[in-house]
Amino acid sequence: MSENKHPSESLKLDTIHTTFKQAFEIKKNPFPWIKALCAGIAAALPVFIGLLFGNLAYGLLAGIGGFTYLYVFNQPYHLRAKKIFFVMAGLALSVVLGTLLAPYQLGTAIMMGIIGANVFFIFGALKITGPSAVFFVLSFALATGMPVDQSLAPLRGGLVLMGGALSWIICMLGWFFNPHGPESLAVEKVYRELGAFFDSMGTETFNKARQRTVWAMKHAEDTLLAGFSSRQSRDALKRLYLLNEHANALFLEALEISLNKKIVMPPELGQSVRALAGSIASKNPPGNFGPASSVSVLRRSNWLINLGREFTFDSLPFNVAPVNGRKLAG
């Protein structure tokens, strides 16, 4: 009995230790500085405008609409426009309901549960990324804590709607400069993760790099498929989709090589893939690719695919030496 209990207790301790370690682990993801800056502007600008016109209370109310920007993620602009519109309308409605139900404690509690449940269900059912029901419930709760005056419900809701409209404008500004920016960023990330995956082959970080690459490719595919519902610039999206298909082919070839031969790939391979990512992220985005630049990118992609298919130690232009039981190309 004690022998069976000991492994169980050890497993529980290992699980608790892993849970705490993951809870305090610092992710090595790049910090979204631009999004943080825009979110700060979306929240602070309504307050500043209210202060400028001598009515700080109205500015603070409009600042609640600034929560709308926290629902902005890397998705095609036509989907982003719809999503952010419904978010700002929902926040305004939450404030209106909170103002109307403020005198009724039981009604306030019931409505808060209804708002949270419905928004959480919609975000989950439609697989919408974002903070879900958090800021809808928070806006409702803030409205119930304001001075009770049901006649102010339309005014408060309108101010929140104006703050949300400002967030909508800020998040859509990129459309004027690069209509397919979100799709380009998704494909660019695929190639950067693919470069890191090539560099990790034969090392201890191989599994983590593989998982990140698979996630990036799935996200890029979903973003591109969503972008194809747009009626404009289909050629640009087709080019991006073709680049993503090349990335998938490269990944599969590299995965096959890694299963058959545990090797450390030459650094030139990862550098070439990152050069493709740099081409996608350049100021001349894929939406504005000319024929020459498109052919150049695809030729480099084909060269990498052929290198993966034909890769053998004898084909390398440099010597190969075994290191710790593995083959090291270099």
Side-chain angles (χ1 to χ4, degrees):
M1 183 71 177
S2 60
E3 292 181 358
N4 295 333
K5 186 177 179 181
H6 180 70
S8 177
E9 290 179 353
S10 177
L11 181 60
K12 289 181 180 179
L13 290 175
D14 291 341
T15 303
I16 294 173
H17 177 264
T18 303
T19 303
F20 272 97
K21 185 178 179 181
Q22 292 177 349
F24 294 97
E25 182 181 1
I26 299 176
K27 302 293 183 181
K28 295 182 179 180
N29 295 329
F31 188 79
W33 293 103
I34 297 178
K35 181 179 178 180
L37 179 62
C38 292
I41 293 174
L45 193 56
V47 180
F48 178 76
I49 294 174
L51 185 63
L52 190 65
F53 285 93
N55 201 325
L56 181 61
Y58 284 5
L60 291 171
L61 269 170
I64 296 176
F67 291 151
T68 303
Y69 196 88
L70 299 176
Y71 290 83
V72 175
F73 288 87
N74 190 49
Q75 56 190 164
Y77 280 112
H78 70 281
L79 289 181
R80 182 184 299 184
K82 298 175 186 177
K83 174 185 173 182
I84 299 304
F85 173 80
F86 285 112
V87 168
M88 71 180 187
L91 291 176
L93 181 61
S94 298
V95 171
V96 170
L97 292 175
T99 303
L100 294 176
L101 295 176
Y104 315 107
Q105 296 181 357
L106 181 60
T108 298
I110 294 174
M111 183 55 65
M112 186 175 291
I114 291 174
I115 292 174
N118 286 334
V119 176
F120 184 82
F121 173 78
I122 291 172
F123 271 69
L126 300 179
K127 297 181 180 180
I128 302 174
T129 55
S132 188
V134 174
F135 292 100
F136 292 90
V137 173
L138 179 60
S139 300
F140 178 82
L142 287 173
T144 60
M146 297 176 187
V148 178
D149 190 348
Q150 294 175 317
S151 63
L152 293 178
L155 176 62
R156 292 174 178 174
L159 289 170
V160 173
L161 195 63
M162 291 175 62
L166 179 62
S167 297
W168 187 92
I169 292 172
I170 293 174
C171 77
M172 294 298 294
L173 284 176
W175 181 84
F176 294 98
F177 308 101
N178 188 4
H180 298 292
E183 294 93 332
S184 300
L185 286 175
V187 177
E188 176 202 347
K189 186 175 182 181
V190 169
Y191 277 91
R192 295 200 182 279
E193 293 293 347
L194 195 59
F197 171 73
F198 284 144
D199 293 339
S200 70
M201 289 180 65
T203 66
E204 296 179 354
T205 60
F206 174 76
N207 290 329
K208 290 184 178 180
R210 180 183 59 187
Q211 292 174 359
R212 289 196 303 268
T213 306
V214 170
W215 183 90
M217 289 191 297
K218 182 180 183 304
H219 175 69
E221 184 176 1
D222 293 341
T223 303
L224 290 171
L225 290 176
F228 266 109
S229 63
S230 177
R231 297 181 180 178
Q232 298 179 352
S233 301
R234 283 188 172 254
D235 289 342
L237 290 174
K238 287 178 180 178
R239 293 189 186 105
L240 288 171
Y241 190 82
L242 184 59
L243 287 171
N244 191 55
E245 288 295 312
H246 275 279
N248 279 270
L250 284 169
F251 176 74
L252 292 176
E253 294 291 346
L255 201 60
E256 183 179 355
I257 293 172
S258 68
L259 293 175
N260 297 331
K261 310 167 185 176
K262 290 191 174 182
I263 62 169
V264 176
M265 298 295 287
E268 290 79 8
L269 193 58
Q271 292 171 5
S272 299
V273 175
R274 280 187 287 273
L276 288 177
S279 299
I280 298 171
S282 64
K283 292 184 179 179
N284 184 28
N288 298 327
F289 267 7
S293 55
S294 296
V295 171
S296 175
V297 170
L298 294 181
R299 279 178 178 174
R300 279 189 286 176
S301 297
N302 284 324
W303 175 79
L304 289 171
I305 293 175
N306 292 331
L307 178 63
R309 288 173 179 165
E310 300 171 3
F311 182 85
T312 61
F313 291 109
D314 296 333
S315 66
L316 290 175
F318 34 76
N319 295 328
V320 178
V323 177
N324 294 332
R326 299 180 305 177
K327 292 289 186 178
L328 176 64

